[in-house]
Amino acid sequence: MSGQSVGVVHSQHAHFDQPLHLRSGGVLPAYDLVYETYGSLNASKSNAILVCHALSGHHHVAGHYAEQPENIGWWDNIVGPGRPLDTDRFFIVGLNNLGGCHGSTGPSSLNPATGKPWGADFPIVAVNDWVHAQARLADLLGIDSWAAVMGGSLGGMQALRWTITYPERVRHAIVIAAAPKLSAQNIAFNDVARQAILTDPDFHGGHYYEHNTRPLRGLRLARMLGHITYLSDDQMGEKFGRELRNGSFSFDFDVEFEVESYLRYQGDKFAGYFDANTYLLMTKALDYFDPSRENNGDLKATMARTKAGFLIASFTTDWRFTPARSKEIVAALLANGRNVSYAEIDLNFGHDSFLMDDAHYHGVVDAYLRNIKL
Amino acid sequence: MTHTLGRPDFDVIAGWIEPGHRVLDLGCGDGTLLRHLIDTRGVQGWGVEIDDANILAAIRNGINVIQGNLERGLDVFADQAVDHVVLSRTLQTVRHTEGILREMLRVGREAVVSFPNFAYWKNLRSVLDGRMPVSEDLPYQWYDSPNVRFFTLLDFEALCAQMGLIVRERSVLDEAGNPVENEVNFLGSLAVYRLTRAR
């Protein structure tokens, strides 16, 4: 990995009193966003990059906390002095989306109307709602237009949505491992994950906070399923093969294969820190995402609103959001004569490739960002 | 005579393109031609390229570049999306010759094609002397050549006629990049064609 880490960082809080009217019809009367920034905003405020998080992400994009040196940001490998998101040049903003469980207002926050956690009463949030909330954070930071909005997976969808909702406020979008909308297969996976949570006896209709319990079994299963879909078959084969933990078959249902051990460990770890209601909300936001709906399914007509330049990237082994899905976005942009580059990156980590430190992948992002005029 | 970036066909191609035109360069490499056309002709351009290193170089060059395999068609591009689709010194490396020519004129109003002429007298002499030609425009040994098609100006024009493509302009150059006016199939080392579809 080239460049340096941004080092010690700390989170910040912003409180918003202006009600946010959501696509679902719900209203958040007031809300908090937790965010982090790296680098400095220049005098003309033209060097800001918004990094949007994916399904289970949050505001801690890069660096580490003074008191928790092991808690390194989820995309640390791309942010820092001399890294593609060069903090000597850019001012990077990461935030936790509404509905999240890392400090921004979400289902585990207190509902001012009841004094109890929102739980299942937290309104369904859509990608466009996040974009509106992010725009208000930009207002607060004095950023009229982002040099770039960037993200992978669900984060890439937010970047795409930015270019449609606020075409004047985003000069470049970097959309990685994303799709213009989910396929039926994607939605099916999401629903199995949701069903695991919704049918957990500890779910209590989403009000498990009041029962001092959490639907850990459901959340664990949801994550195990998700995890399988984010990796590639080749990579799983390389990493685990059919290795047995104890050398021979035990003919029972305990952990036998290394891959089972790995998935159960990942599932437990995730269930330990993530909120089940947030998982439900985030997967629904994914399912609902389809900006072309505004134009009767015509993505070309939708992308006609955009003004940004685009870098679209996909990964050859990503079977959840295949290169073909990214190319749908590329085609819609080209049909509108937009400035767009598309890189199809040969990496073996499936959908999760977008988080990996790869010289060619990071080189492409670096080269694109270097040409952005501030 | 000196030529832009050492590529005489680039000068010919640039001369056919008007400011503000949209140009698609197939097999754009590091984007040198598009960079030149953007800087000197004020075009809007996109390239298509398969190679990772070239994708990186083209993005570094500030070019719009789409990673893809020409042999699989240009399906990310809409019909008549651009004014000119350029294929410089690449047709001889493409297997699906008719397919790519059809795709070029589906996506573009005009196709601009440059290719080395295998009937160039030095090439012919080389073969008569018993060796495959190696020249300025065919700079490869037979065993490391990317070229999979071997054709001449006459061959190409016969294919155009068969496909109903109209040759709007033709520029033939010698090895030094100077224009050739007579006996072009014998004296021309590199040919540049401007094609349209019959309306």
Side-chain angles (χ1 to χ4, degrees):
Chain A
M1 179 162 42
S2 61
Q4 295 161 28
S5 169
V6 292
V8 174
V9 299
H10 61 276
S11 310
Q12 301 172 70
H13 249 90
H15 179 74
F16 298 86
D17 273 326
Q18 194 191 351
L20 188 68
H21 293 266
L22 305 171
R23 196 179 152 204
S24 61
V27 180
L28 279 175
Y31 55 91
D32 290 351
L33 291 178
V34 176
Y35 65 100
E36 285 179 16
T37 70
Y38 324 107
S40 323
L41 191 59
N42 63 9
S44 56
K45 301 185 174 182
S46 64
N47 69 333
I49 296 180
L50 175 67
V51 176
C52 303
H53 70 70
L55 185 65
S56 61
H58 45 72
H59 53 279
H60 185 36
V61 180
H64 63 270
Y65 300 129
E67 64 281 14
Q68 293 171 277
E70 272 85 57
N71 190 348
I72 294 165
W74 57 271
W75 218 354
D76 186 80
N77 62 30
I78 207 167
V79 180
R83 290 188 180 164
L85 277 77
D86 190 344
T87 47
D88 287 338
R89 185 159 179 249
F90 294 110
F91 176 66
I92 316 292
V93 179
L95 85 169
N96 182 212
N97 281 331
L98 287 174
C101 55
H102 295 97
S104 291
T105 299
S108 53
S109 313
L110 290 185
N111 179 351
T114 63
K116 291 193 281 191
W118 281 92
D121 298 332
F122 194 85
I124 296 272
V125 283
V127 170
N128 210 16
D129 301 326
W130 290 336
V131 167
H132 288 305
Q134 290 160 0
R136 289 188 186 173
L137 181 66
D139 293 341
L140 188 85
L141 297 170
I143 297 160
D144 286 337
S145 99
W146 299 100
V149 179
M150 172 170 180
S153 192
L154 181 54
M157 292 168 165
Q158 292 164 64
L160 194 61
R161 187 70 245 192
W162 258 97
T163 66
I164 301 160
T165 302
Y166 293 106
E168 311 286 348
R169 298 192 70 174
V170 46
R171 304 202 298 282
H172 295 271
I174 302 179
V175 178
I176 304 171
K181 60 175 181 253
L182 292 197
S183 66
Q185 187 194 45
N186 289 151
I187 294 171
F189 281 126
N190 283 347
D191 197 49
V192 174
R194 280 192 297 269
Q195 287 301 316
I197 293 168
L198 294 167
T199 57
D200 186 315
D202 287 331
F203 184 63
H204 297 289
H207 294 288
Y208 45 86
Y209 314 98
E210 295 160 40
H211 293 80
N212 289 318
T213 185
R214 297 167 62 216
L216 294 177
R217 284 165 290 184
L219 187 55
R220 175 175 181 262
L221 282 178
R223 183 59 170 184
M224 287 171 75
L225 170 74
H227 212 88
I228 296 166
T229 72
Y230 304 147
L231 306 179
S232 69
D233 189 23
D234 281 354
Q235 182 212 2
M236 267 195 171
E238 271 170 35
K239 201 166 172 180
F240 307 108
R242 291 177 50 89
E243 286 300 307
L244 295 167
R245 295 192 80 198
N246 298 317
S248 61
F249 290 173
S250 54
F251 299 102
D252 62 25
F253 299 111
D254 285 339
V255 172
E256 282 197 82
F257 292 94
E258 286 295 348
V259 68
E260 295 173 315
S261 164
Y262 172 78
L263 276 181
R264 290 182 198 195
Y265 168 76
Q266 292 293 338
D268 286 336
K269 193 172 82 168
F270 185 74
Y273 71 82
F274 209 79
D275 179 61
N277 279 319
T278 290
Y279 204 82
L280 295 175
L281 283 176
M282 298 283 169
T283 57
K284 283 307 271 189
L286 265 171
D287 291 1
Y288 289 133
F289 182 75
D290 178 11
S292 77
R293 236 181 124 78
E294 292 156 20
N295 295 89
N296 300 315
D298 183 348
L299 188 64
K300 177 188 165 188
T302 299
M303 298 318 285
R305 289 175 53 81
T306 64
K307 296 194 163 148
F310 288 82
L311 172 64
I312 313 284
S314 71
F315 299 93
T316 48
T317 56
D318 184 350
W319 58 276
R320 188 89 194 246
F321 293 151
T322 61
R325 305 307 314 281
S326 283
K327 283 203 267 191
E328 291 173 33
I329 303 169
V330 173
L333 290 166
L334 287 170
N336 284 291
R338 293 293 173 271
N339 286 316
V340 51
S341 282
Y342 168 68
E344 196 166 296
I345 294 154
D346 192 10
L347 253 183
N348 199 20
F349 300 96
H351 186 56
D352 272 353
S353 294
F354 85 90
L355 294 166
M356 301 301 160
D357 182 23
D358 173 75
H360 174 62
Y361 164 39
H362 280 189
V364 163
V365 174
D366 183 77
Y368 187 83
L369 287 173
R370 268 177 207 280
N371 279 318
I372 291 184
K373 291 181 181 64
L374 301 181
Chain B
M1 187 170 172
T2 57
H3 299 286
T4 306
L5 316 161
R7 288 285 302 265
D9 54 332
F10 284 4
D11 292 332
V12 174
I13 293 166
W16 290 340
I17 288 169
E18 303 286 322
H21 273 179
R22 290 178 174 183
V23 180
L24 176 62
D25 184 12
L26 304 180
C28 69
D30 65 2
T32 299
L33 173 63
L34 280 174
R35 185 75 263 162
H36 173 64
L37 294 175
I38 291 164
D39 293 344
T40 62
R41 307 295 292 164
V43 305
Q44 190 184 14
W46 295 267
V48 173
E49 178 53 51
I50 192 168
D51 177 68
D52 279 352
N54 280 334
I55 289 286
L56 186 58
I59 293 175
R60 211 169 264 154
N61 236 332
I63 300 301
N64 293 314
V65 62
I66 309 296
Q67 191 157 21
N69 184 347
L70 296 181
E71 301 276 16
R72 298 203 189 121
L74 303 173
D75 55 353
V76 291
F77 297 93
D79 295 356
Q80 301 293 292
V82 299
D83 298 294
H84 309 270
V85 181
V86 178
L87 188 69
S88 63
R89 302 197 203 210
T90 303
L91 191 65
Q92 75 281 3
T93 70
V94 173
R95 284 184 185 281
H96 301 100
T97 313
E98 289 171 88
I100 194 68
L101 287 170
R102 257 194 301 273
E103 276 288 84
M104 288 175 79
L105 282 164
R106 176 185 68 78
V107 171
R109 197 161 50 77
E110 280 187 7
V112 178
V113 181
S114 71
F115 59 86
N117 173 27
F118 282 78
Y120 177 49
W121 69 272
K122 285 191 186 173
N123 297 339
L124 298 180
R125 197 176 74 179
S126 191
V127 173
L128 286 175
D129 286 346
R131 301 291 301 270
M132 286 302 283
V134 178
S135 67
E136 184 79 13
D137 293 308
L138 287 171
Y140 302 99
Q141 295 291 339
W142 65 274
Y143 51 82
D144 70 357
S145 172
N147 301 333
V148 295
R149 298 282 182 246
F150 304 91
F151 54 101
T152 70
L153 273 65
L154 289 179
D155 290 330
F156 182 71
E157 288 174 17
L159 176 64
C160 289
Q162 188 188 312
M163 290 181 67
L165 307 180
I166 293 163
V167 176
R168 218 182 128 182
E169 276 187 75
R170 180 184 72 185
S171 180
V172 182
L173 306 168
D174 65 16
E175 254 184 300
N178 296 314
V180 179
E181 304 296 341
N182 303 311
E183 298 283 347
V184 288
N185 202 43
F186 187 64
L187 299 177
S189 172
L190 186 76
V192 198
Y193 282 81
R194 189 176 181 186
L195 307 172
T196 57
R197 192 177 274 292
R199 304 281 162 201

